[in-house]
């Protein structure tokens, strides 16, 4: 999805509405990502004092693999974005760095990479199919959400196990 700079300049303060289906390239950007439906971006673009601003929300659905039970599940997202652009040759050094202005080299603004980045940033590092997912049995590999395999597994948090070892050594 590309926005033409000239078109935006002709708005003279007005806002250009955007409602488009966009294809995001997320392959291999998240360990648990299986596939991505095309996303929808709704928002607006406008110019103000030499800046080009695009804001709105990107929403859609991803198919993820649960980190605990490895079952595929749908993950819906709806992420707000606001990106500010400026002609590269107009950016001065005293522009506040915190404004995070992206330099524009040509006549178009390609918003897709920013949508991809915002979505990826919003994804938790570890995704589970549900907070109560019981995961796979470490003994026999059964999906414990589907059936109770009956294995007896000592529930020791690996972090606590390390502490247990430390204390064990101290006791000796
Ligand atoms: Zn799960
Ligand atoms: Zn088991």
């Amino acid at each position: 999805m590309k926005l033409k700079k000239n078109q935006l300049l002709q708005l003279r303060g007005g806002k250009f509405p955007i409602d488009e289906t966009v294809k995001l390239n997320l392959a291999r950007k998240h360990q648990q990502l299986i596939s991505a439906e095309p996303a929808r971006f709704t928002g607006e673009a406008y110019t103000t004092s030499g800046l080009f601003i695009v804001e709105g929300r990107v929403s859609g659905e991803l198919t993820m693999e649960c980190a605990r039970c490895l079952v595929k599940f749908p993950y819906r997202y709806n992420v707000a974005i606001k990106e500010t652009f400026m002609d590269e040759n107009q950016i001065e050094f005293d522009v506040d760095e915190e404004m995070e202005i992206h330099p524009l080299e040509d006549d178009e603004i390609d918003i897709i990479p920013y949508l991809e980045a915002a979505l990826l940033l919003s994804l938790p590092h570890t995704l589970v199919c549900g907070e109560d997912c019981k995961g796979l049995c470490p003994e026999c590999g059964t999906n414990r959400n589907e059936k109770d395999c009956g294995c007896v597994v000592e529930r020791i948090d690996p972090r606590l196990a390390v502490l247990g070892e430390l204390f064990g050594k101290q006791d000796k």
Side-chain angles (χ1 to χ4, degrees):
M1 192 185 82
K2 288 182 176 168
L3 299 163
K4 297 235 183 303
K5 252 168 42 182
N6 282 345
Q7 263 179 7
L8 296 180
L9 287 170
Q10 283 162 16
L11 294 170
R12 295 174 205 286
K15 294 189 173 181
F16 179 75
I18 306 167
D19 185 349
E20 282 201 46
T21 300
V22 290
K23 198 165 179 338
L24 304 182
N25 180 13
L26 303 166
R28 291 187 292 279
K29 298 272 173 62
H30 191 285
Q31 279 187 355
Q32 292 168 253
L33 180 71
I34 304 294
S35 62
E37 294 293 313
R40 183 176 175 197
F41 180 61
T42 54
E44 55 196 15
Y46 54 95
T47 60
T48 177
S49 38
L51 301 171
F52 297 84
I53 294 167
V54 182
E55 63 181 314
R57 302 192 76 90
V58 59
S59 60
E61 188 173 302
L62 306 174
T63 300
M64 309 296 287
E65 183 183 75
C66 175
R68 285 185 209 151
C69 70
L70 309 182
V71 164
K72 292 177 186 130
F73 68 99
Y75 177 84
R76 293 203 57 78
Y77 59 88
N78 187 327
V79 181
I81 78 148
K82 181 172 182 179
E83 303 294 337
T84 305
F85 303 85
M86 193 181 210
D87 278 328
E88 192 177 45
N89 54 17
Q90 285 190 21
I91 294 183
E92 293 171 17
F93 283 110
D94 59 355
V95 169
D96 184 358
E97 277 185 19
E98 283 183 15
M99 285 179 76
E100 286 192 36
I101 296 176
H102 312 301
L104 282 178
E105 290 170 28
D106 47 40
D107 298 335
E108 292 180 324
I109 303 171
D110 185 5
I111 195 72
I112 299 283
Y114 299 97
L115 299 181
E116 291 170 352
L119 168 55
L120 289 168
L121 201 66
S122 78
L123 290 179
H125 182 66
T126 304
L127 287 143
V128 289
C129 63
E131 278 313 311
D132 56 353
C133 172
K134 299 192 194 84
L136 301 178
C137 170
E139 290 294 326
C140 71
T142 295
N143 181 346
R144 292 186 294 194
N145 299 314
E146 289 167 0
K147 74 173 186 193
D148 186 1
C149 56
C151 295
V152 180
V153 181
E154 279 191 65
R155 284 187 150 270
I156 298 178
D157 185 311
R159 288 163 296 183
L160 293 180
V162 172
L163 281 179
E165 272 176 34
L166 285 176
F167 286 119
K169 278 173 193 154
Q170 278 178 355
D171 285 347
K172 278 172 205 162

